[in-house]
């Protein structure tokens, strides 16, 4: 069964490219940049080639080239110009567009080739912060607006997760620093979005810390077993979907009572669920961070 998406609405193009539908219509009429097919009810439909062309046009336009100048270029010249700008260091947005095309087409070779080309000049951490994180933010919005399916999101997430795991594996041969404190990374029950936490584990390993990654949906009481083996544990968790907003305060309070207040332990929290919530009486041993970068600065 062929699951590749080959037809896109103008709203899909807006969501994928960041170019407003109104602007796309103007560019079509004034510059004939795209030639959509139309339904019997005059609804625009765009193919994969149109999507790729618009992504390249948006990339050039975002890098300071006027749309009137882009309109004078044929498709081969547009590709050449994109490569020229990317080669001068403006690679992040070009790579993000390439990863989007890989996702839409379920194209593993394009994903790997794009990733490997980034590695020529960037560290894995640079790629994660400047390409993968912005890409994942965009993908979340594309899923919310039904521009892509869960299968598209999973394709991308699986491949990014794979790259993090490969980089963690390369660090496994390194012994933790002497007397290093222990970090335990876990997601609360029902939470499955583990990419940010996996990357945090990679950073901890790279810095020489002893870390234990437990992964998704870990019941709180299951963490008690770790207290028999380790002292001075720093627990790290990320709230993306769960706990529900109304339950976060109680979760933190219960965690503090069960695992922190009678022990020399801490809890570091990350995640979008915590960005716009007002919490009262945060326990002394609980710290909330806006980003992975903010958290790792204190280590």
């Amino acid at each position: 069964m062929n699951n590749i998406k080959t037809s896109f609405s103008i709203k899909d193009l807006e969501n994928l490219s960041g170019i407003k539908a109104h602007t796309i219509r103007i560019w079509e009429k004034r510059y004939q940049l795209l030639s959509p097919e139309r339904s019997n009810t005059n609804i625009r439909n765009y193919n994969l080639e149109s999507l790729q062309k618009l992504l390249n046009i948006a990339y050039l336009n975002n890098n300071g080239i006027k749309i009137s100048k882009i309109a004078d270029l044929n498709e081969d010249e547009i590709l050449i110009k994109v490569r020229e700008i990317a080669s001068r260091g403006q690679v992040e947005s070009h790579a993000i567009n390439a990863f989007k095309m890989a996702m839409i087409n379920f194209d593993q070779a394009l994903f790997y080739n794009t990733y490997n080309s980034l590695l020529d000049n960037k560290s894995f951490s640079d790629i994660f912060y400047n390409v993968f994180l912005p890409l994942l933010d965009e993908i979340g919005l594309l899923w919310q607006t039904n521009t892509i399916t869960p299968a598209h999101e999973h394709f991308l997430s699986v491949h990014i997760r794979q790259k993090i795991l490969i980089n963690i594996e390369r660090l496994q041969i390194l012994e933790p620093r002497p007397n290093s404190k222990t970090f335990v990374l876990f997601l609360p029950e029902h939470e499955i979005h583990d990419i940010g936490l996996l990357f945090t584990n990679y950073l901890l390993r790279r810095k020489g810390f002893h870390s234990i990654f437990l992964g998704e949906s870990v019941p709180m009481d299951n963490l008690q077993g770790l207290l028999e083996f380790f002292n001075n544990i720093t627990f790290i968790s990320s709230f993306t979907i769960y706990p529900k907003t109304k339950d976060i305060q109680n979760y933190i309070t219960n965690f503090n009572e069960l695992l922190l207040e009678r022990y020399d332990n801490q809890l570091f929290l990350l995640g979008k669920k915590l960005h716009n919530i007002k919490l009262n009486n945060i326990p002394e041993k609980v710290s909330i961070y806006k980003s992975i970068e903010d958290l790792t600065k204190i280590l």
Side-chain angles (χ1 to χ4, degrees):
M1 183 177 177
N2 186 357
N3 289 319
I4 295 176
K5 186 169 181 175
T6 58
S7 181
F8 304 86
S9 68
I10 195 166
K11 192 65 178 176
D12 289 338
L13 262 62
E14 175 180 312
N15 291 333
L16 284 160
S17 69
I19 304 298
K20 295 293 185 183
H22 175 69
T23 302
I24 295 172
R25 293 188 187 97
I26 291 174
W27 288 358
E28 283 178 16
K29 185 175 181 180
R30 187 173 300 171
Y31 302 109
Q32 293 77 52
L33 285 172
L34 300 175
S35 300
E37 296 180 358
R38 291 180 181 266
S39 68
N40 294 333
T41 55
N42 208 32
I43 301 296
R44 290 172 168 83
N45 288 298
Y46 300 84
N47 58 23
L48 274 170
E49 289 75 19
S50 293
L51 169 60
Q52 186 167 26
K53 183 177 181 181
L54 182 61
L55 288 172
N56 285 328
I57 290 169
Y59 178 74
L60 295 179
N61 191 237
N62 289 337
N63 279 281
I65 301 178
K66 293 181 178 180
I67 193 65
S68 58
K69 298 293 184 183
I70 299 172
D72 290 335
L73 304 175
N74 61 39
E75 293 192 18
D76 288 339
E77 290 169 334
I78 288 174
L79 289 174
I80 291 170
K81 201 71 177 173
V82 166
R83 294 190 190 108
E84 285 177 0
I85 293 175
S87 69
R88 295 199 298 266
Q90 304 295 324
V91 297
E92 286 86 358
S93 58
H94 179 54
I96 288 172
N97 285 340
F99 284 130
K100 285 180 187 176
M101 290 304 299
M103 174 192 67
I104 292 294
N105 290 313
F106 299 104
D107 187 339
Q108 296 182 90
L110 179 57
F111 182 95
Y112 296 142
N113 290 337
T114 303
Y115 175 77
N116 288 332
S117 68
L118 288 170
L119 279 180
D120 289 339
N121 298 297
K122 292 183 176 295
S123 70
F124 176 66
S125 292
D126 287 338
I127 295 171
F128 187 85
Y129 283 128
N130 299 316
V131 178
F132 284 162
L133 277 184
L135 176 64
L136 288 168
D137 284 342
E138 286 196 45
I139 296 313
L141 291 172
L142 293 175
W143 178 79
Q144 290 173 25
T145 56
N146 292 320
T147 304
I148 60 173
T149 67
H152 291 112
E153 183 185 22
H154 293 170
F155 172 87
L156 201 63
S157 297
V158 163
H159 283 80
I160 292 174
R161 188 178 292 108
Q162 180 189 62
K163 296 306 178 187
I164 301 172
L165 289 171
I166 288 171
N167 281 275
I168 291 174
E169 181 69 23
R170 290 172 179 158
L171 299 173
Q172 297 288 17
I173 60 172
L174 302 176
E175 290 292 331
R177 295 183 312 202
N179 303 316
S180 173
K181 67 193 311 183
T182 296
F183 290 86
V184 174
L185 297 89
F186 73 97
L187 293 177
E189 283 190 274
H190 311 300
E191 180 62 78
I192 61 172
H193 295 81
D194 65 350
I195 286 179
L197 203 65
L198 262 179
F199 182 70
T200 304
N201 188 41
Y202 160 75
L203 294 175
L204 291 169
R205 290 277 184 167
R206 195 180 69 179
K207 288 176 176 286
F209 291 112
H210 176 227
S211 66
I212 300 170
F213 186 83
L214 299 180
E216 60 191 51
S217 196
V218 179
M220 188 188 300
D221 58 2
N222 286 193
L223 298 171
Q224 286 182 292
L226 290 151
L227 305 182
E228 300 176 18
F229 298 92
F230 306 103
N231 298 314
N232 190 18
I233 298 174
T234 299
F235 294 97
I236 301 180
S237 192
S238 181
F239 298 173
T240 302
I241 303 297
Y242 291 97
K244 294 179 180 178
T245 301
K246 65 181 179 64
D247 297 328
I248 290 176
Q249 185 77 59
N250 284 339
Y251 184 94
I252 293 174
T253 299
N254 293 338
F255 196 100
N256 182 61
E257 293 173 354
L258 187 66
L259 295 159
L260 302 182
E261 64 182 8
R262 290 179 289 115
Y263 306 96
D264 190 20
N265 299 331
Q266 299 179 82
L267 173 63
F268 292 171
L269 292 174
L270 297 157
K272 292 181 180 178
K273 291 287 285 189
L274 298 165
H275 287 180
N276 298 306
I277 185 173
K278 186 175 181 180
L279 298 172
N280 300 313
N281 302 318
I282 299 174
E284 182 181 353
K285 294 183 178 180
V286 176
S287 300
I288 297 174
Y289 298 91
K290 291 184 178 180
S291 67
I292 296 171
E293 287 177 290
D294 286 345
L295 186 153
T296 55
K297 283 176 184 176
I298 68 154
L299 301 176

